[in-house]
Amino acid sequence: MSNPTNPKSKYSFLLKFEDYWAIWLGAIILILSMFLFFANPPANMDKIIADSNATMQAEAEKAPFKTIAWLEANDAKAGLKGTSAPLAKSVSKYFTVPGSWSDNPMKSFFLSESDAKAKSAASAEKYEKAKVATTEAKAAAVLAEKAASEASFQDTELNKEAKTKIAAWQKAKADAAKAKSAAETKPYNHFTTMIPLMIVLALLFGIGKHFMGESAKKFLVAFPVVFIVAALSFFLGGHEFAKAWGLEYVMWAIILGFLVSNTIGTPKWIMPAVQTEYYIKTGLVLLGATILINKMMIIGIPGVFVTWIVTPVVLITTFWFGQKILKIESPTLNMVISADMSVSGVSAAISAAAACRAKKEELTLAVGISITFTAIMMVVMPLMIKALGLNPVLGGAWIGGTVDSTGAVVAAGEILGPVARDVAATIKMIQNIMIGLMAFCIAAYWALKVDVDKSKADLKVSSAMREIWNRFPKFVLGFLGASIVFTLIYAGMGSDSSKVLIDNGTSSFLGSLQKWFFALAFASIGLSTNFRELGKYFKGGKPAILYVCGQSFNIALTFTMAYIMFMKVFPQITEKLMQ
């Protein structure tokens, strides 16, 4: 028996529970990422940034439009990427997921040197033509800008002509960059990176299992199977048909797991590595480092209203609707579905499930419904926005506040263009910040209102807070801590350096690894779920009805708030975003 007066015994719980191990593993990875990028910036980063900013400021004072020199200086800054540093590049390649493919499945995993050369050769002529077109377009832009300059940029027509020619040059340059990528295809072998990644992840998670009092050996033996299912989900999601229809790896991971668990059955020896929450909690801690509080200021007050007002209203309303109108028997299932549709999809569902202690089958059902409707909405909503002729900012805000998955939000926004894409992604990011607060509020509600024995209830504040703390998903602290730390680092570095080392450095690095954690989690969901167990939760079709009604309410309310905020109350912010 442990000695309570021993400091080591007093804090031993920090090594015995899954939530804390998610934080420790996340912290280790975050510290590694900071070392890789902050200690190894691109060569001459500070000088390039300073020179570029000086040029851009001088050009902005000289001309009423973005000149060639301004754009070239901006490109010099944009070309600085933390991921291009040698050490960071060497480590990051091990997080690469199987790639896109169409006719040859092996191309998802392997491309030989001869095939790479053949692919490059096939695109070489197109690239040469694109380079010539870029040179000609730049020459025309130089002449047009010179004419405008000679008129001291006072001639409206000459300025307009210069802007047109410069825009044509920019488009030609972008086309050349795409052609260059195809003409310089490199061979790859993802097997040589996935196997070491599998070993490292098995050891990291296995150490945690050991301290949690479970068999690390059994975990290590079973882990490769779950990893293979995760890798196959990326493979299937990489097919051109799946990519076109937004059928992401998350869905394939669950389907593959379902096929095993509902046909031959998942062998018992694999179950020690089927650890849904362990994987996804660690992934959510990493997610915190990419959701930076200061970035929500890009959108400003309208974005906060669209997310922080609409989201809790939808969450509370749909939970009430499910309990009082639909009379869903399980309040935990009701809450997980409500959190999924109102906050940010799967990530919110996991946090809500942990806060109210929902059953694994209930989480699986909520995630399955979410994935199905997300795939539909990411295709239908952009088409509807185009048909209605909505402003891209309004359209992006609408998508960001309603489509569940962050990846689907970006993909749907991309269909409408870069402005809508960036607005949608930022709105979703602001919404994601609410995960921690939502988890705390759900834990408090469940402790004080739902799972409380009134005959034994202790109404003291200290007892109530203790019960809330016991229910609160501790990994959310890691999520919030990572967000705060990286927000402070971002502000301290300055926007330019932060863009290089965080936006184009740690965020990219962590995002790739986070995908693997999520794939492992959803493979685990599929491998541990039997359709017969889910049947009772579909009683009367109530979960699906709840989601459809709730999401319809969410869509209508989000559009109304976005229209009021971006088009009526703050049109100047909309105009600025359009620029």
Side-chain angles (χ1 to χ4, degrees):
M1 186 173 178
S2 62
N3 180 5
T5 62
N6 185 338
K8 291 184 178 179
S9 173
K10 185 178 180 181
Y11 296 104
S12 61
F13 70 93
L14 294 173
L15 294 176
K16 290 183 177 179
F17 295 99
E18 188 176 81
D19 277 32
Y20 291 113
W21 268 101
I23 295 174
W24 306 144
L25 293 178
I28 290 170
I29 294 167
L30 292 175
I31 291 170
L32 172 63
S33 72
M34 287 190 283
F35 168 76
L36 280 176
F37 294 97
F38 300 167
N40 298 278
N44 301 317
M45 181 185 76
D46 292 337
K47 185 177 186 306
I48 292 172
I49 289 174
D51 291 347
S52 296
N53 285 339
T55 299
M56 292 168 70
Q57 182 177 351
E59 292 297 310
E61 293 172 355
K62 181 176 69 175
F65 55 83
K66 294 176 181 177
T67 64
I68 294 172
W70 190 99
L71 291 167
E72 288 179 333
N74 189 55
D75 288 345
K77 280 204 305 181
L80 293 170
K81 297 184 184 297
T83 50
S84 63
L87 181 58
K89 186 182 290 187
S90 298
V91 176
S92 297
K93 72 178 182 180
Y94 287 96
F95 303 153
T96 305
V97 302
S100 303
W101 61 285
S102 55
D103 54 343
N104 184 353
M106 276 304 294
K107 286 185 178 179
S108 180
F109 298 97
F110 176 79
L111 186 68
S112 67
E113 191 169 343
S114 59
D115 287 341
K117 287 181 178 178
K119 189 174 180 180
S120 296
S123 304
E125 184 178 351
K126 183 178 180 180
Y127 176 43
E128 289 302 320
K129 289 182 178 179
K131 284 199 297 184
V132 171
T134 302
T135 301
E136 292 174 349
K138 184 176 181 180
V142 168
L143 289 175
E145 184 182 310
K146 183 179 179 182
S149 176
E150 289 174 348
S152 300
F153 299 107
Q154 298 302 310
D155 189 310
T156 303
E157 288 301 317
L158 290 177
N159 288 347
K160 183 178 178 180
E161 178 68 10
K163 287 173 68 176
T164 301
K165 295 296 183 182
I166 290 173
W169 165 57
Q170 288 291 96
K171 183 181 184 305
K173 191 164 63 168
D175 292 341
K178 290 181 182 179
K180 181 181 180 181
S181 179
E184 296 180 354
T185 301
K186 300 287 191 299
Y188 54 81
N189 185 349
H190 294 323
F191 294 112
T192 60
T193 57
M194 288 194 300
I195 292 174
L197 175 64
M198 179 184 72
I199 294 171
V200 170
L201 293 183
L203 291 174
L204 280 174
F205 287 115
I207 291 170
K209 280 295 170 186
H210 170 73
F211 281 98
M212 283 185 264
E214 300 179 31
S215 173
K217 181 179 178 181
K218 290 181 178 179
F219 177 86
L220 294 173
V221 170
F223 184 79
V225 176
V226 182
F227 186 89
I228 288 170
V229 174
L232 288 175
S233 72
F234 287 119
F235 162 72
L236 292 172
H239 190 272
E240 61 178 10
F241 177 82
K243 290 174 79 70
W245 286 93
L247 306 177
E248 296 189 53
Y249 70 94
V250 171
M251 185 195 74
W252 292 112
I254 293 178
I255 289 176
L256 289 173
F258 276 164
L259 289 175
V260 174
S261 61
N262 291 278
T263 53
I264 62 174
T266 304
K268 288 185 178 180
W269 65 271
I270 294 176
M271 294 309 293
V274 176
Q275 300 290 331
T276 300
E277 293 194 2
Y278 191 18
Y279 303 133
I280 204 162
K281 286 173 181 177
T282 308
L284 287 174
V285 172
L286 299 186
L287 179 65
T290 63
I291 297 176
L292 307 184
I293 299 169
N294 63 315
K295 284 195 171 184
M296 72 181 185
M297 300 310 295
I298 297 172
I299 296 294
I301 295 174
V304 172
F305 268 85
V306 171
T307 54
W308 290 9
I309 300 298
V310 171
T311 298
V313 169
V314 173
L315 175 65
I316 294 168
T317 303
T318 55
F319 181 70
W320 173 86
F321 178 75
Q323 293 297 284
K324 301 298 183 181
I325 306 301
L326 296 180
K327 299 189 182 301
I328 293 176
E329 294 180 5
S330 171
T332 50
L333 173 62
N334 193 160
M335 179 54 74
V336 173
I337 293 176
S338 295
D340 183 295
M341 79 173 74
S342 62
V343 185
S344 59
V346 173
S347 300
I350 293 287
S351 299
C356 66
R357 298 179 182 175
K359 295 182 178 67
K360 170 181 64 66
E361 293 81 11
E362 294 174 334
L363 175 60
T364 301
L365 178 59
V367 169
I369 294 174
S370 172
I371 290 171
T372 301
F373 280 93
T374 296
I376 296 171
M377 288 177 65
M378 69 172 288
V379 174
V380 172
M381 285 197 72
L383 295 177
M384 184 165 61
I385 289 168
K386 282 186 173 182
L388 294 172
L390 298 182
N391 181 287
V393 173
L394 175 59
W398 196 16
I399 288 172
T402 53
V403 176
D404 288 340
S405 163
T406 302
V409 164
V410 174
E414 185 70 45
I415 296 173
L416 299 177
V419 172
R421 178 199 62 208
D422 293 346
V423 170
T426 306
I427 289 288
K428 179 56 64 178
M429 181 172 61
I430 298 172
Q431 195 176 58
N432 285 341
I433 293 173
M434 297 193 70
I435 291 175
L437 177 62
M438 174 210 69
F440 176 80
C441 292
I442 291 174
Y445 180 76
W446 242 253
L448 302 176
K449 292 292 184 181
V450 181
D451 284 348
V452 57
D453 186 341
K454 294 182 180 179
S455 65
K456 300 178 181 179
D458 187 342
L459 299 179
K460 291 181 180 179
V461 173
S462 59
S463 299
M465 292 305 296
R466 189 183 307 115
E467 181 61 22
I468 292 170
W469 171 252
N470 290 337
R471 288 176 171 276
F472 181 69
K474 311 302 187 297
F475 73 90
V476 172
L477 297 176
F479 169 89
L480 294 172
S483 179
I484 292 170
V485 168
F486 272 76
T487 295
L488 293 174
I489 292 173
Y490 200 100
M493 280 186 177
S495 60
D496 288 327
S497 295
S498 295
K499 189 175 179 73
V500 176
L501 299 177
I502 296 181
D503 293 344
N504 294 322
T506 57
S507 292
S508 176
F509 175 86
L510 296 170
S512 299
L513 187 55
Q514 182 187 310
K515 275 187 174 183
W516 277 108
F517 290 164
F518 284 176
L520 291 169
F522 293 116
S524 296
I525 286 176
L527 289 168
S528 62
T529 302
N530 190 294
F531 286 133
R532 289 188 295 274
E533 296 173 352
L534 287 176
K536 60 184 177 182
Y537 297 107
F538 271 111
K539 188 176 180 181
K542 292 179 181 178
I545 294 172
L546 172 64
Y547 193 95
V548 171
C549 293
Q551 191 63 286
S552 298
F553 175 59
N554 187 22
I555 289 171
L557 188 58
T558 300
F559 176 81
T560 302
M561 183 63 75
Y563 181 80
I564 292 171
M565 288 294 110
F566 284 103
M567 307 306 293
K568 296 298 181 181
V569 181
F570 297 101
Q572 69 276 15
I573 292 179
T574 301
E575 185 178 343
K576 184 177 179 180
L577 291 169
M578 286 295 293
Q579 295 174 358

